[in-house]
């Protein structure tokens, strides 16, 4: 069972549609009780970091999800702002992140990029895998995913990085630490590449 954490932020129906297409059992959780039986978790997110963190805290599910991820080692996939929430903090706000991965979320600095590119970074971008990982199974370095963000995930432990992309500068776009996975891009909007990634996640042991 893949459980999508519905705290009012994210493309919930898009995830459900893909898992239905794949004949993979999936549901949503809006309360702590609805997290019961979850074998995999998806933490979606769009918009402002502080807004997403506050909505998650207000949902009443934060402590239960933290327990499932940290203590019970349930695999979790954070998507876009959901991935950024896994860091310690973000330049976009003042609230603390979940701290699941040793990382900070940094705003793109156009002065440091190789070209003056608009923000947000929006649209399709190549994703380059930096190591073999079950989340990226059957995805080559020609895989393209849909992005929409102005901030990127800066890992302090580079062993957590599993994929990168380039937008004026090279940045981390997918991470993995033990049972914790994150994708800066939107697999639910990335056609067959995204479908493959979500299938891989659902099939993790």
């Amino acid at each position: 069972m893949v459980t999508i954490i519905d705290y009012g932020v994210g493309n919930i129906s898009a995830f459900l549609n893909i898992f239905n297409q794949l004949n993979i059992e999936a549901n949503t959780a809006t309360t702590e009780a609805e997290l019961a039986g979850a074998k995999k978790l998806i933490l979606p997110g769009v918009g402002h970091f502080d807004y997403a963190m506050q909505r998650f805290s207000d949902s009443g599910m934060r402590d239960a999800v933290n327990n499932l991820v940290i203590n019970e080692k349930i695999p979790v996939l954070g998507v876009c702002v959901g991935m950024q929430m896994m860091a310690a903090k973000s330049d976009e706000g003042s609230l603390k992140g979940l701290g699941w991965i040793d990382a900070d979320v940094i705003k793109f600095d156009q002065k440091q990029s190789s070209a003056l590119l608009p923000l947000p970074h929006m649209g399709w971008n190549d994703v380059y895998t930096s190591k073999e990982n079950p989340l990226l199974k059957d995805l080559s370095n020609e895989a393209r995913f849909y992005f929409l963000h102005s901030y990127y995930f800066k890992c302090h432990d580079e062993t957590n990085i599993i994929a990168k992309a380039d937008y004026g500068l090279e940045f981390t776009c997918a991470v993995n630490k033990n049972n914790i996975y994150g994708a800066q891009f939107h697999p639910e909007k990335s056609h067959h590449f995204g479908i493959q990634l979500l299938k891989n996640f659902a099939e993790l042991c």
Side-chain angles (χ1 to χ4, degrees), residues 38-174:
K39 302 299 182 187
K40 308 275 184 352
L41 296 168
I42 291 181
L43 180 64
V46 294
H48 192 278
F49 180 89
D50 274 7
Y51 177 76
M53 285 300 309
Q54 192 63 57
R55 289 296 299 263
F56 188 38
S57 294
D58 291 345
S59 73
M61 293 186 284
R62 178 172 174 171
D63 288 346
V65 169
N66 193 70
N67 178 62
L68 289 171
V69 171
I70 300 303
N71 297 321
E72 298 192 27
K73 306 300 183 186
I74 297 292
V76 61
L77 173 63
V79 173
C80 195
V81 175
M83 169 177 161
Q84 294 180 0
M85 290 163 64
M86 296 173 168
K89 63 181 180 177
S90 172
D91 283 352
E92 191 176 19
S94 59
L95 295 180
K96 290 183 179 179
L98 296 168
W100 292 347
I101 294 181
D102 185 13
D104 297 321
V105 178
I106 310 295
K107 187 170 185 178
F108 280 109
D109 185 348
Q110 293 173 306
K111 295 183 222 176
Q112 293 181 356
S113 70
S114 59
L116 190 60
L117 298 171
L119 292 178
H121 170 212
M122 180 171 63
W124 292 85
N125 212 112
D126 293 331
V127 167
Y128 307 99
T129 58
S130 56
K131 63 171 71 172
E132 288 189 9
N133 188 276
L135 185 69
L136 306 174
K137 184 175 109 176
D138 296 329
L139 289 168
S140 70
N141 275 333
E142 296 178 356
R144 291 174 62 79
F145 289 88
Y146 183 81
F147 288 80
L148 178 57
H149 64 124
S150 298
Y151 295 78
Y152 66 94
F153 200 87
K154 182 175 177 57
C155 284
H156 299 305
D157 182 351
E158 294 195 356
T159 65
N160 298 152
I161 300 169
I162 60 173
K164 296 181 179 181
D166 190 282
Y167 190 67
L169 57 85
E170 188 178 69
F171 68 94
T172 297
C173 66

Side-chain angles (χ1 to χ4, degrees), residues 177-194:
K177 178 184 178 183
N178 302 323
N179 57 307
I180 300 166
Y181 297 82
Q184 180 60 66
F185 46 81
H186 286 275
E188 79 282 12
K189 293 183 176 182
S190 298
H191 305 321
H192 63 282
F193 296 118

